[in-house]
Amino acid sequence: MAAKSFYKGFTLGILGGGQLGRMLIQPCINLNVKTAVLDPDPEAPCNGVCTKFSTGSFKDYDTVMQFGQHADILTIEIEHVNVDALEALEKQGKTIYPQPSVIRLVQDKGLQKQFYKQNGIPTSDFVLVDTIGELQNHVHFLPAFQKTRTSGYDGRGVKGLFVPEDFNEALEGPSLLEKKVDYDKEIAVIVARNTTGETAVYPVVELVFHPEANLLNYLASPGAVSDTVAAKAKNIAVEIIEKLNMVGVLAVEMFVTPDEEVLVNEIAPRPHNSGHQTIEANITSQYEQHLRAILGLPLGATDSLYPSVMINLLGEQGYEGEAVYEGLDEALKIRGVYIHLYGKQITKPYRKMGHATITGKDWKSVHEKVKRIQDILKIIA
Amino acid sequence: MAAKSFYKGFTLGILGGGQLGRMLIQPCINLNVKTAVLDPDPEAPCNGVCTKFSTGSFKDYDTVMQFGQHADILTIEIEHVNVDALEALEKQGKTIYPQPSVIRLVQDKGLQKQFYKQNGIPTSDFVLVDTIGELQNHVHFLPAFQKTRTSGYDGRGVKGLFVPEDFNEALEGPSLLEKKVDYDKEIAVIVARNTTGETAVYPVVELVFHPEANLLNYLASPGAVSDTVAAKAKNIAVEIIEKLNMVGVLAVEMFVTPDEEVLVNEIAPRPHNSGHQTIEANITSQYEQHLRAILGLPLGATDSLYPSVMINLLGEQGYEGEAVYEGLDEALKIRGVYIHLYGKQITKPYRKMGHATITGKDWKSVHEKVKRIQDILKIIA
């Protein structure tokens, strides 16, 4: 139930010190919640902005066990954490949201897919294989995408297998073979559920990916989808978080097929890249919402305030070293543009260095500003 | 000129660790600006949210001199700082905004008044006196307000002198005797000026004061004033910041007389209580604006996004001790209400513990929510 005295010297422990943690810390300040962060990189985005930073691996059992002792509630900003330690801490009585059982499920793309199937949640057909050799039994499944069951992230651990010859380049180890979906759009929905079971769902957003880096290029909110698709997508998101019995914020990425079918691609049980724009463009940000959910507070309204586009600010190709934000002054001149830098000193090609949320009175003005930002703002070294 | 590399391990030093500093730190995170804060109280609101907190007096010369060495730019969140040290640091080449000369002027209400007079800025008539005895020479000035020239704050150091008998209760030391103004409204305007001389002015806000505590009760933005009054008030604010040649954010508090004269009451060269609502209810918050101004960045748009009211959350009378936020859960249920707690563990009657910004589609809905918040949210111990 509600952590009634969360504003009295209360500490939220966050596993992972990246930009998602950094943006989660900002609303913590508004609710008197102190923050402790664990990350192996002393240069992580959260260092210098959290109350207490600990350098150490969130994948290491003993480190997580020790870190957990100093927090009143634990949460994550990355899924790839030591779940055994979290389950042991949970047994000791520690409050952990999202629950370790949910994190364990999400860490394994095979278990995720089985969960959808068992619960009648629409998703593309799939088979699970343990070795490369087994793939040969599933030639009829092509064209498909092969995904390693664990450790995939931002396009790593994914391989397109379109013709049998592609098996030569298949990935090693236990994996998921997913039938390629012909889709019109990729969308995402963020949903929150608090400790009392209350849920709140954000408007559908549309994701457009960068062709080379396989990273989000831009995101439009609210997304241009039919009411039918929006309703389907929101229902699916609520159904998933309820079936998982999860507390916190959950991002659900989905495909929309030409005949308006909505299929779940994957989920992340935490604030997500597809919800950055909620900071300025929705009544309640996904970060504050996550905090409300895990602290047992009422959830906030999720409505969009205006049309918005979120673009990731990626390290320019061909540059590596101390980051220089070329065009930042010009970008800050544009009305209704909100820049978030992530505190990373070193840029690399396609590294997520920050994001910009671009708002406007209508889509035309938003898209003009987006084009301008993409033209002028470059992260070089 | 512009601090071009502010995002490269740059540290902003802030004299004062109160709530204004705390809210200034939040946008620093978005621009990769690290923060160092100096405050005598280790429990100050900024401790735990800034990058580096130093316990020490911002009124002490040596402490300020030493603190200044570790910052790339210095700013303030309270005026009552050691200006001799800031001037010495400025001579050493340190960048300090607002400029020490401005802080020195504002610290002395007598100098402030002379500045208005010299620059033709409308303000109530006044005389300066050095001793209580001198007051007798100015009986014709009553009814008036006596204000100590230095150290007044939040209603302290102010005495109403309405009839000659009141001289018995007059304040000691050099003071300002100001003719009582008959006014309809108190308003405030926040104006910003950056290092290139660009200015940006916020919409007029209307202030309503708490009759007993002499603290702001609530503030409405944009304020209900005529276009004439709004234009006068904005022009005055811009004129003051330009005449001061000041860099940063300046709050100008003004009286509106029944015949729509606008008279300057006082100024504060920093983010101000009368601009809290800009965080959610204007395109650019006063805190981000201050940061843009002092870093030499272009200023942001100042427009109101919707009608809003800001209420200070004060410690309830009759309670002192560890704060309990009664009704907070209920308050968080209300759509478009933004709660900011200041990280103060101990409540006292009328202590500023936080604020709430209440937004809505129209004034009717805003005022209904305000009433509800004032009914349910109590800070007790």
Side-chain angles (χ1 to χ4, degrees):
Chain A
M1 253 299 297
K4 284 295 175 200
S5 56
F6 65 87
Y7 45 73
K8 290 187 182 175
F10 181 97
T11 295
L12 172 66
I14 306 170
L15 296 179
Q19 57 266 21
L20 298 168
R22 188 171 162 105
M23 289 183 271
L24 179 58
I25 288 167
Q26 287 170 299
C28 285
I29 296 174
N30 296 337
L31 289 176
N32 285 1
V33 172
K34 296 186 203 303
T35 49
V37 171
L38 176 67
D39 196 280
D41 179 5
E43 305 270 297
C46 287
N47 199 355
V49 306
C50 59
T51 313
K52 189 173 181 307
F53 184 86
S54 304
T55 307
S57 172
F58 44 70
K59 294 184 180 176
D60 178 67
Y61 184 90
D62 293 332
T63 308
V64 172
M65 287 302 288
Q66 206 181 347
F67 176 74
Q69 307 306 321
H70 305 291
D72 295 282
I73 286 194
L74 281 174
T75 193
I76 58 164
E77 64 100 52
I78 183 167
E79 298 87 84
H80 304 291
V81 297
N82 192 300
V83 184
D84 293 335
L86 292 181
E87 281 181 345
L89 286 165
E90 197 177 43
K91 278 196 190 110
Q92 288 176 11
K94 186 68 68 187
T95 305
I96 303 165
Y97 294 129
Q99 297 91 327
S101 58
V102 174
I103 303 172
R104 191 180 287 287
L105 180 93
V106 170
Q107 282 181 347
D108 183 334
K109 286 179 180 157
L111 293 181
Q112 253 192 65
K113 281 293 231 187
Q114 287 174 327
F115 166 83
Y116 304 141
K117 198 170 176 183
Q118 281 153 17
N119 289 281
I121 291 161
T123 190
S124 62
D125 287 341
F126 69 99
V127 286
L128 301 182
V129 297
D130 284 327
T131 62
I132 289 192
E134 284 179 47
L135 286 170
Q136 300 291 347
N137 307 333
H138 304 289
V139 176
H140 65 284
F141 229 77
L142 303 192
F145 283 97
Q146 184 199 16
K147 296 180 178 174
T148 54
R149 288 186 60 166
T150 55
S151 319
Y153 200 59
D154 273 351
R156 292 191 287 274
V158 178
K159 189 82 203 162
L161 303 178
F162 305 126
V163 290
E165 291 69 47
D166 289 344
F167 284 156
N168 299 328
E169 288 169 36
L171 303 166
E172 298 279 350
S175 67
L176 163 73
L177 194 65
E178 234 178 2
K179 239 192 175 25
K180 184 168 176 291
V181 175
D182 283 322
Y183 59 85
D184 274 353
K185 286 191 176 182
E186 273 192 81
I187 60 172
V189 168
I190 302 230
V191 61
R193 185 169 169 275
N194 73 6
T195 54
T196 66
E198 183 193 355
T199 59
V201 59
Y202 283 82
V204 172
V205 299
E206 186 181 343
L207 291 80
V208 178
F209 285 83
H210 193 291
E212 287 162 74
N214 198 22
L215 282 170
L216 189 66
N217 185 19
Y218 75 84
L219 168 156
S221 170
V225 294
S226 69
D227 290 351
T228 315
V229 166
K232 273 188 198 175
K234 287 173 156 193
N235 285 342
I236 288 171
V238 172
E239 203 181 341
I240 293 176
I241 203 166
E242 287 185 339
K243 289 268 165 63
L244 287 172
N245 197 29
M246 184 196 137
V247 170
V249 146
L250 176 81
V252 182
E253 295 187 85
M254 292 170 268
F255 299 117
V256 183
T257 68
D259 54 353
E260 299 216 323
E261 223 188 331
V262 176
L263 301 173
V264 174
N265 178 13
E266 57 186 51
I267 59 174
R270 50 165 173 80
H272 189 258
N273 195 69
S274 64
H276 290 339
Q277 78 292 345
T278 59
I279 298 173
E280 291 92 6
N282 293 68
I283 293 187
T284 309
S285 85
Q286 66 163 348
Y287 300 98
E288 181 180 326
Q289 196 76 303
H290 184 65
L291 203 56
R292 286 177 178 237
I294 67 177
L295 293 176
L297 293 168
L299 299 177
T302 56
D303 316 48
S304 286
L305 295 166
Y306 9 66
S308 66
V309 159
M310 191 286 294
I311 55 174
N312 284 124
L313 302 176
L314 306 179
E316 200 69 15
Q317 252 193 302
Y319 295 93
E320 183 155 351
E322 201 181 8
V324 172
Y325 296 84
E326 201 182 76
L328 183 58
D329 278 41
E330 281 304 306
L332 287 168
K333 278 186 194 164
I334 306 171
R335 187 187 173 80
V337 168
Y338 299 91
I339 303 283
H340 294 255
L341 304 184
Y342 297 158
K344 298 175 183 176
Q345 295 301 307
I346 303 299
T347 183
K348 287 188 280 205
Y350 303 122
R351 188 176 191 201
K352 286 183 188 166
M353 301 298 287
H355 77 262
T357 294
I358 296 116
T359 63
K361 58 181 197 314
D362 53 36
W363 282 112
K364 183 166 175 284
S365 84
V366 170
H367 282 297
E368 279 166 9
K369 292 180 203 178
V370 170
K371 183 161 183 342
R372 179 129 178 78
I373 294 281
Q374 286 179 326
D375 282 350
I376 60 177
L377 192 52
K378 307 271 177 218
I379 305 169
I380 58 175
Chain B
M1 252 301 295
K4 284 294 176 202
S5 56
F6 66 87
Y7 45 73
K8 289 187 184 176
F10 181 96
T11 295
L12 172 66
I14 306 171
L15 296 179
Q19 59 265 20
L20 298 168
R22 188 172 163 104
M23 290 183 271
L24 179 58
I25 288 167
Q26 287 170 297
C28 285
I29 297 175
N30 296 337
L31 289 176
N32 285 2
V33 172
K34 296 185 203 302
T35 50
V37 171
L38 176 67
D39 196 279
D41 179 5
E43 305 270 297
C46 287
N47 200 354
V49 306
C50 59
T51 312
K52 189 174 181 307
F53 184 86
S54 304
T55 308
S57 173
F58 44 70
K59 295 183 179 178
D60 179 68
Y61 184 89
D62 292 332
T63 308
V64 172
M65 287 303 288
Q66 206 180 346
F67 177 75
Q69 306 307 321
H70 304 291
D72 296 282
I73 286 195
L74 280 175
T75 193
I76 57 165
E77 63 101 52
I78 184 166
E79 299 85 86
H80 305 291
V81 297
N82 192 299
V83 183
D84 292 335
L86 292 182
E87 281 179 347
L89 285 165
E90 197 177 43
K91 276 193 193 113
Q92 288 177 10
K94 185 69 67 185
T95 304
I96 303 166
Y97 295 128
Q99 297 91 327
S101 58
V102 174
I103 303 172
R104 192 180 286 289
L105 180 93
V106 171
Q107 281 181 347
D108 184 333
K109 288 178 178 159
L111 293 181
Q112 251 191 66
K113 280 294 233 186
Q114 288 174 329
F115 167 82
Y116 304 142
K117 199 172 176 181
Q118 283 154 15
N119 289 282
I121 290 160
T123 189
S124 61
D125 286 343
F126 68 99
V127 286
L128 302 182
V129 297
D130 284 328
T131 62
I132 287 193
E134 284 180 47
L135 286 171
Q136 299 291 347
N137 306 334
H138 304 289
V139 175
H140 66 282
F141 228 76
L142 304 192
F145 282 97
Q146 184 199 15
K147 296 180 178 175
T148 53
R149 289 186 59 167
T150 54
S151 318
Y153 199 59
D154 272 351
R156 292 190 288 274
V158 178
K159 188 83 202 161
L161 303 178
F162 305 127
V163 291
E165 291 69 47
D166 289 343
F167 284 158
N168 299 327
E169 290 169 31
L171 302 165
E172 298 278 353
S175 67
L176 164 73
L177 194 65
E178 231 177 4
K179 242 195 178 17
K180 183 168 176 292
V181 175
D182 284 321
Y183 60 85
D184 276 352
K185 286 191 175 181
E186 275 192 79
I187 60 172
V189 168
I190 301 221
V191 60
R193 184 168 169 276
N194 72 7
T195 53
T196 66
E198 181 193 357
T199 59
V201 60
Y202 282 84
V204 172
V205 299
E206 185 181 345
L207 292 81
V208 178
F209 284 83
H210 192 291
E212 288 162 73
N214 198 21
L215 282 169
L216 188 66
N217 185 18
Y218 75 84
L219 168 157
S221 171
V225 295
S226 69
D227 290 352
T228 314
V229 167
K232 274 189 194 173
K234 287 173 155 193
N235 285 342
I236 289 171
V238 172
E239 203 181 343
I240 294 175
I241 204 165
E242 286 184 340
K243 289 268 164 62
L244 288 172
N245 197 29
M246 185 195 136
V247 171
V249 147
L250 176 80
V252 182
E253 295 186 85
M254 293 171 267
F255 299 118
V256 183
T257 69
D259 54 351
E260 299 216 322
E261 224 189 330
V262 176
L263 301 173
V264 173
N265 178 16
E266 57 186 53
I267 59 175
R270 50 165 171 80
H272 190 258
N273 195 69
S274 64
H276 290 339
Q277 78 292 345
T278 59
I279 298 173
E280 290 92 6
N282 293 69
I283 293 186
T284 308
S285 86
Q286 66 164 346
Y287 299 98
E288 180 179 325
Q289 196 76 302
H290 184 64
L291 202 57
R292 286 176 178 238
I294 68 178
L295 293 177
L297 294 168
L299 299 177
T302 57
D303 318 48
S304 287
L305 295 166
Y306 11 65
S308 66
V309 159
M310 191 285 294
I311 55 173
N312 285 126
L313 302 177
L314 306 179
E316 200 69 15
Q317 251 192 304
Y319 295 93
E320 182 156 350
E322 201 182 5
V324 173
Y325 296 85
E326 201 182 77
L328 183 58
D329 277 40
E330 280 305 306
L332 287 169
K333 279 185 193 164
I334 307 171
R335 188 185 170 81
V337 168
Y338 298 91
I339 304 284
H340 294 256
L341 304 183
Y342 296 160
K344 299 175 183 176
Q345 294 299 307
I346 303 299
T347 183
K348 288 189 279 204
Y350 302 123
R351 188 174 192 203
K352 284 183 190 167
M353 301 297 288
H355 78 262
T357 294
I358 295 116
T359 63
K361 57 182 196 316
D362 54 35
W363 283 111
K364 184 165 173 287
S365 83
V366 170
H367 282 298
E368 281 166 6
K369 292 181 203 176
V370 170
K371 184 161 182 343
R372 179 131 176 76
I373 294 281
Q374 286 179 327
D375 283 348
I376 59 177
L377 192 53
K378 307 275 177 216
I379 304 170
I380 60 174

